[in-house]
Amino acid sequence: MTEIVATTTGLYPLPDPAKRELSELKGHQKGDLISGDEGPEVRAAYERARETVVADQLDAGLDRIVEGQLRWDDVLAHPLIVSDAVEAGGIVRYYDNNNFYRDPRIVDELAPSGDVGAELTAATELLDGAEPLTRIEGDARDPTADTETTVDAFDGDAAAATQAVLPGPYTLADLATDEFYDDEAELLAAVADLLAAEVEAFPTHATLFLHEPSYVVNPPGDGLDERASAAVDTVATATDADVVVDTYWDSFEEKPYAHLLDADIDGVGFDFVAGDRDETLYCLNEYGCTDDVALGLVDGQNTLVEEPETVADRVEWVHDNVPATTFETTYVTHNTETFYLPVNRHREKLATLAEGAALARDRLETEVTA
Protein backbone atom coordinates (compact mmCIF):
# COMPACT_ATOMS: atom_id res chain seq x y z
CA MET A 1 0.00 0.00 0.00
CA THR A 2 1.30 3.44 -0.89
CA GLU A 3 2.20 5.89 1.86
CA ILE A 4 0.17 9.10 1.47
CA VAL A 5 2.17 12.23 2.35
CA ALA A 6 0.57 15.68 2.53
CA THR A 7 3.04 18.37 1.54
CA THR A 8 3.44 21.55 -0.49
CA THR A 9 5.67 22.88 -3.21
CA GLY A 10 6.90 25.76 -1.02
CA LEU A 11 7.10 29.36 -2.25
CA TYR A 12 4.41 30.80 0.01
CA PRO A 13 2.76 34.23 0.02
CA LEU A 14 4.23 36.63 2.56
CA PRO A 15 2.00 36.96 5.68
CA ASP A 16 0.19 40.29 5.69
CA PRO A 17 1.86 41.90 8.75
CA ALA A 18 5.29 41.00 7.36
CA LYS A 19 4.29 42.43 4.00
CA ARG A 20 3.48 45.75 5.63
CA GLU A 21 6.61 45.78 7.78
CA LEU A 22 8.93 44.87 4.91
CA SER A 23 7.33 47.42 2.65
CA GLU A 24 8.33 50.08 5.18
CA LEU A 25 11.83 48.66 5.62
CA LYS A 26 12.68 47.80 2.01
CA GLY A 27 10.48 49.91 -0.23
CA HIS A 28 9.38 48.78 -3.68
CA GLN A 29 12.24 49.73 -5.98
CA LYS A 30 14.50 47.32 -7.86
CA GLY A 31 17.37 48.19 -5.52
CA ASP A 32 15.24 47.13 -2.56
CA LEU A 33 14.86 43.52 -3.72
CA ILE A 34 16.63 40.68 -1.94
CA SER A 35 20.32 40.32 -2.76
CA GLY A 36 21.49 38.21 0.17
CA ASP A 37 23.02 41.07 2.17
CA GLU A 38 19.93 42.62 3.78
CA GLY A 39 20.25 44.29 7.18
CA PRO A 40 19.29 42.96 10.63
CA GLU A 41 15.83 44.58 10.73
CA VAL A 42 14.86 43.02 7.41
CA ARG A 43 16.24 39.66 8.46
CA ALA A 44 14.33 39.80 11.74
CA ALA A 45 11.08 40.52 9.89
CA TYR A 46 11.60 37.50 7.67
CA GLU A 47 12.42 35.34 10.70
CA ARG A 48 9.09 36.24 12.32
CA ALA A 49 7.30 35.53 9.05
CA ARG A 50 9.10 32.17 8.75
CA GLU A 51 7.88 31.16 12.19
CA THR A 52 4.35 32.08 11.13
CA VAL A 53 4.37 29.91 7.99
CA VAL A 54 5.96 26.95 9.79
CA ALA A 55 3.23 27.28 12.44
CA ASP A 56 0.61 27.40 9.67
CA GLN A 57 1.82 24.06 8.31
CA LEU A 58 1.90 22.41 11.72
CA ASP A 59 -1.58 23.71 12.49
CA ALA A 60 -2.89 22.37 9.17
CA GLY A 61 -1.41 18.93 9.86
CA LEU A 62 0.96 18.58 6.90
CA ASP A 63 3.38 15.65 6.89
CA ARG A 64 6.30 17.59 5.40
CA ILE A 65 7.25 21.12 6.42
CA VAL A 66 8.91 23.60 4.05
CA GLU A 67 10.72 26.81 4.90
CA GLY A 68 8.33 28.83 2.73
CA GLN A 69 10.89 30.77 0.65
CA LEU A 70 9.43 34.09 1.83
CA ARG A 71 12.63 35.99 0.97
CA TRP A 72 12.47 34.90 -2.66
CA ASP A 73 11.51 37.86 -4.83
CA ASP A 74 11.68 35.45 -7.78
CA VAL A 75 9.69 32.25 -7.64
CA LEU A 76 12.45 30.23 -9.32
CA ALA A 77 15.46 32.44 -10.02
CA HIS A 78 16.43 33.24 -6.41
CA PRO A 79 19.43 30.86 -6.06
CA LEU A 80 21.04 32.64 -8.99
CA ILE A 81 19.98 36.17 -8.05
CA VAL A 82 21.79 35.98 -4.68
CA SER A 83 25.01 34.81 -6.36
CA ASP A 84 27.92 37.25 -6.70
CA ALA A 85 28.41 35.92 -10.24
CA VAL A 86 24.93 37.05 -11.31
CA GLU A 87 23.48 40.47 -12.08
CA ALA A 88 19.75 41.10 -11.91
CA GLY A 89 18.43 42.15 -15.28
CA GLY A 90 15.00 43.32 -16.36
CA ILE A 91 11.62 41.83 -15.53
CA VAL A 92 10.77 38.82 -17.71
CA ARG A 93 7.57 36.81 -18.04
CA TYR A 94 7.61 33.15 -17.00
CA TYR A 95 6.75 31.20 -20.15
CA ASP A 96 3.27 32.25 -21.35
CA ASN A 97 1.62 33.06 -18.02
CA ASN A 98 1.24 36.21 -15.94
CA ASN A 99 4.07 35.46 -13.51
CA PHE A 100 7.32 37.39 -13.73
CA TYR A 101 10.92 37.18 -12.55
CA ARG A 102 14.14 39.18 -12.67
CA ASP A 103 16.37 37.99 -15.49
CA PRO A 104 19.48 36.42 -13.87
CA ARG A 105 22.44 37.46 -16.04
CA ILE A 106 25.38 35.16 -15.37
CA VAL A 107 28.56 37.22 -15.77
CA ASP A 108 31.13 35.14 -13.87
CA GLU A 109 31.82 31.60 -12.69
CA LEU A 110 29.01 30.33 -10.48
CA ALA A 111 29.76 29.44 -6.86
CA PRO A 112 27.41 28.49 -3.99
CA SER A 113 26.25 31.19 -1.59
CA GLY A 114 24.76 29.01 1.16
CA ASP A 115 21.72 31.30 1.20
CA VAL A 116 19.06 28.60 0.76
CA GLY A 117 20.78 26.30 3.24
CA ALA A 118 20.74 29.02 5.88
CA GLU A 119 16.99 29.46 5.35
CA LEU A 120 16.35 25.73 5.67
CA THR A 121 18.50 25.50 8.78
CA ALA A 122 16.43 28.26 10.41
CA ALA A 123 13.20 26.38 9.62
CA THR A 124 14.60 23.12 11.01
CA GLU A 125 15.60 24.91 14.22
CA LEU A 126 11.99 26.05 14.62
CA LEU A 127 10.86 22.44 14.40
CA ASP A 128 13.55 21.38 16.86
CA GLY A 129 12.55 24.01 19.42
CA ALA A 130 10.72 23.14 22.62
CA GLU A 131 8.64 26.33 22.76
CA PRO A 132 5.28 26.90 21.02
CA LEU A 133 5.51 28.73 17.70
CA THR A 134 4.07 32.21 17.35
CA ARG A 135 1.81 32.95 14.41
CA ILE A 136 1.15 36.59 13.51
CA GLU A 137 -2.01 37.33 11.56
CA GLY A 138 -3.44 40.59 10.35
CA ASP A 139 -4.04 43.04 7.52
CA ALA A 140 -1.15 44.25 5.38
CA ARG A 141 -2.53 47.81 5.59
CA ASP A 142 -3.69 47.95 9.22
CA PRO A 143 -1.26 47.27 12.11
CA THR A 144 -4.10 47.52 14.64
CA ALA A 145 -5.61 44.36 13.15
CA ASP A 146 -2.56 42.21 13.96
CA THR A 147 -3.08 39.30 16.35
CA GLU A 148 -0.74 36.66 17.75
CA THR A 149 -1.67 33.04 18.31
CA THR A 150 0.50 30.09 19.25
CA VAL A 151 0.83 26.59 17.85
CA ASP A 152 2.20 23.75 19.96
CA ALA A 153 5.86 22.93 19.43
CA PHE A 154 6.55 20.12 16.99
CA ASP A 155 6.92 16.85 18.89
CA GLY A 156 8.38 14.65 16.15
CA ASP A 157 11.67 14.17 14.33
CA ALA A 158 12.45 17.52 12.70
CA ALA A 159 14.76 16.03 10.09
CA ALA A 160 12.14 13.45 9.08
CA ALA A 161 9.54 16.19 8.62
CA THR A 162 11.67 18.74 6.73
CA GLN A 163 11.28 19.23 3.00
CA ALA A 164 13.80 21.27 1.01
CA VAL A 165 12.80 23.15 -2.14
CA LEU A 166 14.98 24.26 -5.05
CA PRO A 167 14.54 25.04 -8.73
CA GLY A 168 15.88 22.22 -10.86
CA PRO A 169 19.03 22.70 -12.97
CA TYR A 170 17.36 22.54 -16.36
CA THR A 171 14.74 25.15 -15.43
CA LEU A 172 17.28 27.47 -13.81
CA ALA A 173 19.60 27.26 -16.82
CA ASP A 174 16.65 27.73 -19.18
CA LEU A 175 15.54 30.93 -17.41
CA ALA A 176 19.01 32.48 -17.08
CA THR A 177 20.84 34.75 -19.51
CA ASP A 178 24.34 33.33 -19.99
CA GLU A 179 27.12 35.86 -20.53
CA PHE A 180 29.99 33.74 -19.23
CA TYR A 181 29.87 30.07 -20.26
CA ASP A 182 30.66 28.87 -23.77
CA ASP A 183 27.47 26.97 -24.58
CA GLU A 184 24.25 25.59 -23.12
CA ALA A 185 25.88 22.28 -22.15
CA GLU A 186 28.55 24.05 -20.08
CA LEU A 187 25.93 26.35 -18.55
CA LEU A 188 23.69 23.43 -17.59
CA ALA A 189 26.57 21.57 -15.98
CA ALA A 190 27.65 24.69 -14.06
CA VAL A 191 24.12 25.31 -12.75
CA ALA A 192 23.84 21.65 -11.70
CA ASP A 193 27.15 21.87 -9.84
CA LEU A 194 26.00 25.08 -8.15
CA LEU A 195 22.76 23.50 -6.93
CA ALA A 196 24.54 20.33 -5.80
CA ALA A 197 26.95 22.43 -3.72
CA GLU A 198 24.00 24.29 -2.20
CA VAL A 199 22.31 20.99 -1.31
CA GLU A 200 25.46 19.69 0.36
CA ALA A 201 25.20 22.60 2.80
CA PHE A 202 21.58 21.77 3.75
CA PRO A 203 20.72 20.43 7.18
CA THR A 204 19.37 16.88 7.26
CA HIS A 205 16.05 16.74 5.40
CA ALA A 206 13.60 14.02 4.42
CA THR A 207 12.62 15.23 0.97
CA LEU A 208 13.96 17.53 -1.73
CA PHE A 209 11.55 18.93 -4.30
CA LEU A 210 13.28 20.16 -7.46
CA HIS A 211 10.98 22.47 -9.42
CA GLU A 212 11.34 21.77 -13.14
CA PRO A 213 8.49 23.51 -15.01
CA SER A 214 10.76 24.10 -18.02
CA TYR A 215 10.96 20.33 -18.46
CA VAL A 216 7.34 20.37 -19.63
CA VAL A 217 6.76 23.97 -20.78
CA ASN A 218 9.99 24.29 -22.77
CA PRO A 219 11.20 20.68 -22.95
CA PRO A 220 14.79 19.83 -23.85
CA GLY A 221 15.33 18.64 -27.40
CA ASP A 222 17.47 15.80 -28.72
CA GLY A 223 20.80 15.61 -26.94
CA LEU A 224 19.87 18.24 -24.40
CA ASP A 225 17.30 15.88 -22.87
CA GLU A 226 20.08 13.48 -21.87
CA ARG A 227 22.19 16.32 -20.47
CA ALA A 228 19.18 17.67 -18.56
CA SER A 229 18.65 14.25 -16.98
CA ALA A 230 22.35 14.07 -16.07
CA ALA A 231 22.13 17.55 -14.52
CA VAL A 232 19.21 16.47 -12.35
CA ASP A 233 21.23 13.42 -11.38
CA THR A 234 24.11 15.67 -10.26
CA VAL A 235 21.83 17.51 -7.85
CA ALA A 236 19.96 14.42 -6.66
CA THR A 237 23.11 12.55 -5.71
CA ALA A 238 24.19 15.44 -3.45
CA THR A 239 21.61 14.42 -0.82
CA ASP A 240 20.56 11.27 0.97
CA ALA A 241 16.97 12.54 1.05
CA ASP A 242 14.21 11.39 -1.28
CA VAL A 243 14.30 13.57 -4.40
CA VAL A 244 11.17 14.51 -6.35
CA VAL A 245 11.42 16.32 -9.68
CA ASP A 246 8.28 18.42 -9.66
CA THR A 247 6.79 19.72 -12.93
CA TYR A 248 3.84 22.00 -13.55
CA TRP A 249 1.94 24.21 -16.01
CA ASP A 250 2.00 21.47 -18.65
CA SER A 251 2.52 17.75 -19.33
CA PHE A 252 5.58 15.78 -20.36
CA GLU A 253 6.61 14.95 -23.87
CA GLU A 254 7.56 11.30 -24.19
CA LYS A 255 11.31 11.46 -24.84
CA PRO A 256 12.26 14.00 -22.13
CA TYR A 257 10.16 12.01 -19.67
CA ALA A 258 11.85 8.74 -20.59
CA HIS A 259 15.30 10.32 -20.17
CA LEU A 260 14.34 11.88 -16.82
CA LEU A 261 13.57 8.41 -15.48
CA ASP A 262 17.26 7.57 -15.99
CA ALA A 263 18.23 10.07 -13.29
CA ASP A 264 18.83 8.87 -9.75
CA ILE A 265 15.59 10.28 -8.38
CA ASP A 266 12.87 8.86 -6.18
CA GLY A 267 9.81 10.60 -7.58
CA VAL A 268 8.33 12.69 -10.36
CA GLY A 269 5.66 15.33 -9.84
CA PHE A 270 2.77 15.79 -12.28
CA ASP A 271 0.38 18.71 -12.69
CA PHE A 272 -3.15 17.28 -12.73
CA VAL A 273 -4.72 20.76 -12.63
CA ALA A 274 -3.16 22.65 -15.55
CA GLY A 275 -1.53 19.76 -17.42
CA ASP A 276 -3.18 17.49 -19.98
CA ARG A 277 -4.34 14.53 -17.89
CA ASP A 278 -4.54 12.13 -20.82
CA GLU A 279 -0.93 12.91 -21.83
CA THR A 280 0.20 12.46 -18.24
CA LEU A 281 -1.57 9.13 -17.87
CA TYR A 282 -0.11 7.99 -21.21
CA CYS A 283 3.45 8.66 -20.02
CA LEU A 284 2.79 6.96 -16.69
CA ASN A 285 1.29 3.85 -18.27
CA GLU A 286 3.61 3.64 -21.28
CA TYR A 287 6.95 4.35 -19.62
CA GLY A 288 6.24 3.63 -15.98
CA CYS A 289 7.38 5.86 -13.18
CA THR A 290 9.69 6.14 -10.24
CA ASP A 291 8.88 4.43 -6.94
CA ASP A 292 7.32 7.66 -5.66
CA VAL A 293 4.97 10.14 -7.29
CA ALA A 294 3.86 13.69 -6.49
CA LEU A 295 0.34 14.60 -7.54
CA GLY A 296 -0.44 18.28 -8.10
CA LEU A 297 -4.13 18.15 -7.23
CA VAL A 298 -4.89 21.49 -5.55
CA ASP A 299 -4.75 24.64 -7.69
CA GLY A 300 -1.94 26.82 -6.36
CA GLN A 301 -2.98 29.87 -8.36
CA ASN A 302 -6.75 29.95 -8.03
CA THR A 303 -8.55 31.33 -4.98
CA LEU A 304 -11.28 28.67 -5.21
CA VAL A 305 -10.67 26.34 -2.24
CA GLU A 306 -11.19 22.66 -3.04
CA GLU A 307 -13.00 20.30 -0.69
CA PRO A 308 -10.92 17.61 1.06
CA GLU A 309 -13.21 14.97 -0.46
CA THR A 310 -12.33 16.29 -3.91
CA VAL A 311 -8.63 15.88 -3.18
CA ALA A 312 -9.16 12.32 -1.95
CA ASP A 313 -11.25 11.53 -5.05
CA ARG A 314 -8.43 12.80 -7.27
CA VAL A 315 -5.85 10.65 -5.46
CA GLU A 316 -8.02 7.59 -6.02
CA TRP A 317 -8.65 8.52 -9.65
CA VAL A 318 -4.93 8.72 -10.44
CA HIS A 319 -4.20 5.40 -8.75
CA ASP A 320 -7.12 3.73 -10.51
CA ASN A 321 -5.89 4.99 -13.88
CA VAL A 322 -2.34 3.74 -13.41
CA PRO A 323 -3.25 0.15 -12.53
CA ALA A 324 0.12 -1.44 -13.30
CA THR A 325 2.04 0.71 -10.82
CA THR A 326 1.99 0.67 -7.03
CA PHE A 327 3.77 3.72 -5.69
CA GLU A 328 5.73 3.45 -2.47
CA THR A 329 4.94 7.08 -1.62
CA THR A 330 2.30 9.40 -3.03
CA TYR A 331 2.89 13.07 -2.26
CA VAL A 332 -0.36 15.02 -2.32
CA THR A 333 0.34 18.66 -3.04
CA HIS A 334 -0.46 21.85 -4.94
CA ASN A 335 0.15 21.83 -8.66
CA THR A 336 2.22 25.04 -8.35
CA GLU A 337 3.51 27.39 -5.68
CA THR A 338 0.90 29.49 -3.81
CA PHE A 339 3.08 32.63 -3.98
CA TYR A 340 0.35 34.74 -5.57
CA LEU A 341 -2.61 33.66 -3.44
CA PRO A 342 -4.14 35.77 -0.65
CA VAL A 343 -2.79 34.46 2.65
CA ASN A 344 -6.21 33.39 3.93
CA ARG A 345 -6.86 31.27 0.83
CA HIS A 346 -3.35 29.81 1.02
CA ARG A 347 -4.00 28.70 4.60
CA GLU A 348 -7.33 27.17 3.68
CA LYS A 349 -5.64 25.19 0.93
CA LEU A 350 -3.04 23.90 3.40
CA ALA A 351 -5.88 22.46 5.48
CA THR A 352 -7.51 21.03 2.36
CA LEU A 353 -4.31 19.19 1.43
CA ALA A 354 -3.85 17.72 4.89
CA GLU A 355 -7.48 16.68 5.27
CA GLY A 356 -7.71 15.36 1.70
CA ALA A 357 -4.58 13.28 2.14
CA ALA A 358 -5.94 11.88 5.42
CA LEU A 359 -9.18 10.89 3.69
CA ALA A 360 -7.27 9.23 0.84
CA ARG A 361 -5.14 7.37 3.40
CA ASP A 362 -8.22 6.09 5.22
CA ARG A 363 -9.86 4.96 1.98
CA LEU A 364 -6.78 3.04 0.85
CA GLU A 365 -6.46 1.35 4.24
CA THR A 366 -10.14 0.40 4.10
CA GLU A 367 -9.71 -1.11 0.62
CA VAL A 368 -6.72 -3.18 1.74
CA THR A 369 -8.46 -4.58 4.83
CA ALA A 370 -11.84 -5.12 3.16
Side-chain angles (χ1 to χ4, degrees):
M1 184 180 71
T2 186
E3 178 186 8
I4 303 292
V5 174
T7 188
T8 66
T9 57
L11 304 166
Y12 287 175
L14 194 64
D16 290 329
K19 192 179 300 180
R20 183 188 64 247
E21 182 180 10
L22 287 163
S23 176
E24 295 171 356
L25 290 171
K26 294 198 309 172
H28 299 282
Q29 302 305 310
K30 180 178 178 180
D32 298 315
L33 297 173
I34 288 297
S35 62
D37 58 357
E38 56 269 19
E41 288 184 327
V42 171
R43 288 187 177 276
Y46 278 117
E47 287 168 4
R48 288 188 289 273
R50 180 187 295 117
E51 183 169 352
T52 292
V53 299
V54 169
D56 284 342
Q57 295 170 79
L58 294 177
D59 189 50
L62 294 175
D63 300 305
R64 294 286 189 276
I65 307 300
V66 300
E67 187 271 334
Q69 293 73 49
L70 301 176
R71 289 176 57 249
W72 294 29
D73 293 314
D74 301 292
V75 173
L76 291 167
H78 176 85
L80 284 182
I81 289 294
V82 296
S83 169
D84 291 338
V86 176
E87 296 178 356
I91 301 299
V92 183
R93 185 188 299 271
Y94 278 120
Y95 314 112
D96 292 324
N97 58 44
N98 289 322
N99 301 333
F100 297 85
Y101 68 103
R102 289 177 294 165
D103 178 22
R105 295 173 49 244
I106 301 173
V107 297
D108 203 346
E109 184 175 4
L110 292 172
S113 68
D115 186 275
V116 182
E119 291 181 331
L120 191 62
T121 297
T124 305
E125 289 173 350
L126 288 172
L127 293 178
D128 267 333
E131 299 298 321
L133 299 184
T134 299
R135 178 167 57 183
I136 305 174
E137 304 177 62
D139 188 314
R141 298 161 296 180
D142 182 8
T144 64
D146 291 356
T147 59
E148 289 189 7
T149 57
T150 58
V151 173
D152 289 343
F154 181 66
D155 61 358
D157 182 348
T162 299
Q163 179 170 297
V165 174
L166 274 178
Y170 175 67
T171 292
L172 205 53
D174 181 47
L175 297 176
T177 297
D178 179 21
E179 299 179 4
F180 180 79
Y181 295 98
D182 291 333
D183 54 37
E184 63 181 8
E186 187 179 357
L187 169 66
L188 183 57
V191 171
D193 288 341
L194 168 73
L195 293 175
E198 298 287 4
V199 169
E200 288 171 355
F202 284 3
T204 305
H205 50 287
T207 317
L208 169 62
F209 264 51
L210 292 176
H211 289 289
E212 283 282 19
S214 285
Y215 232 105
V216 292
V217 179
N218 186 25
D222 289 344
L224 186 59
D225 47 13
E226 294 184 46
R227 291 194 291 271
S229 177
V232 167
D233 194 68
T234 295
V235 183
T237 54
T239 178
D240 293 329
D242 292 333
V243 177
V244 177
V245 174
D246 192 40
T247 63
Y248 45 92
W249 287 326
D250 213 330
S251 304
F252 277 101
E253 292 184 1
E254 294 179 52
K255 194 173 179 184
Y257 177 68
H259 278 296
L260 179 61
L261 295 182
D262 292 333
D264 186 17
I265 58 176
D266 300 275
V268 178
F270 301 90
D271 185 343
F272 279 93
V273 175
D276 186 314
R277 295 180 183 181
D278 290 336
E279 288 294 324
T280 297
L281 291 176
Y282 173 79
C283 282
L284 283 167
N285 286 307
E286 182 70 18
Y287 296 98
C289 192
T290 45
D291 290 336
D292 303 337
V293 68
L295 307 180
L297 303 176
V298 171
D299 196 331
Q301 299 192 328
N302 190 307
T303 56
L304 177 66
V305 179
E306 298 85 347
E307 294 295 330
E309 291 80 4
T310 301
V311 175
D313 289 344
R314 291 173 178 176
V315 173
E316 284 191 294
W317 181 86
V318 173
H319 282 261
D320 289 344
N321 281 276
V322 191
T325 302
T326 299
F327 300 107
E328 291 183 8
T329 304
T330 298
Y331 296 94
V332 180
T333 186
H334 303 108
N335 69 319
T336 68
E337 77 291 330
T338 57
F339 184 81
Y340 300 100
L341 286 181
V343 172
N344 61 334
R345 292 292 178 262
H346 157 74
R347 286 172 170 158
E348 290 172 16
K349 284 177 181 271
L350 294 183
T352 287
L353 278 173
E355 294 169 21
L359 281 174
R361 194 178 298 122
D362 290 344
R363 291 181 187 179
L364 287 172
E365 289 175 353
T366 300
E367 290 173 6
V368 170
T369 57

